[in-house]
Amino acid sequence: MHEISLAEGILAIIERQRREGDFGCVKSVQLEIGQLAGVEVEALLFGMKAVFRDTVADGAEIELISVGGQAFCFDCESQVPLAKRGEACPGCGGYRLHVNDGDQMRVKSLEVE
Ligand SMILES: [Zn+2]
C-alpha cells in the first residue's frame, strides 16, 4: 500500500531529525499535502498510526495542511490553480498544463519535547 511507504518515509525523516537534535518524543507533526499528490489522507493517517507505534512518534498529533494545486498553462501563458490532474485550464480550457506546485507531500515541522 502506497500510504504505508509514505508513512515510513515520514518516520525516517523524524528519526533523522532525532539523530541531529536529540529529543524525547514527538508531540505533533505538521504535514503539507498537495492537492495533486494523490495521497489518500485517511489511509495515510491510518498508516502513520500503525508505523509510529512504539517509536519516538507514537501518539503524536498529526496536523494536515492542504496545499492547492498550481500549474502553468502554455496556451494562455499564465499560472492557474488546478484542483485535479487531467483537468483543463480554468482560464482558457487548454490542456497543455505543467504542474508546478501542490504535487508533493512534505513534513513542514515537528513539535518535540
Ligand atoms: Zn490556459
Side-chain angles (χ1 to χ4, degrees):
M1 195 166 136
H2 176 60
E3 275 72 16
I4 290 282
S5 55
L6 286 176
E8 284 169 349
I10 294 164
L11 182 63
I13 291 169
I14 292 170
E15 285 180 336
R16 193 160 56 226
Q17 295 255 333
R18 190 170 184 228
R19 278 196 292 275
E20 282 166 12
D22 201 20
F23 51 79
C25 69
V26 178
K27 282 181 71 183
S28 68
V29 182
Q30 260 193 341
L31 275 184
E32 269 186 2
I33 301 180
Q35 247 183 345
L36 308 176
V39 174
E40 279 279 354
V41 170
E42 286 301 314
L44 178 63
L45 288 173
F46 181 82
M48 286 170 83
K49 225 176 247 173
V51 168
F52 287 3
R53 190 165 299 141
D54 297 326
T55 71
V56 71
D58 197 353
E61 228 174 274
I62 315 293
E63 195 183 328
L64 299 175
I65 302 162
S66 178
V67 178
Q70 293 281 330
F72 183 80
C73 175
F74 290 101
D75 290 329
C76 61
E77 296 191 347
S78 47
Q79 184 69 22
V80 295
L82 190 68
K84 233 189 217 168
R85 267 178 209 277
E87 278 195 350
C89 167
C92 70
Y95 282 95
R96 293 199 304 147
L97 296 166
H98 175 73
V99 172
N100 54 22
D101 200 13
D103 60 344
Q104 54 190 344
M105 186 192 78
R106 69 182 190 102
V107 176
K108 190 166 185 250
S109 68
L110 293 177
E111 199 188 324
V112 299
E113 62 177 20

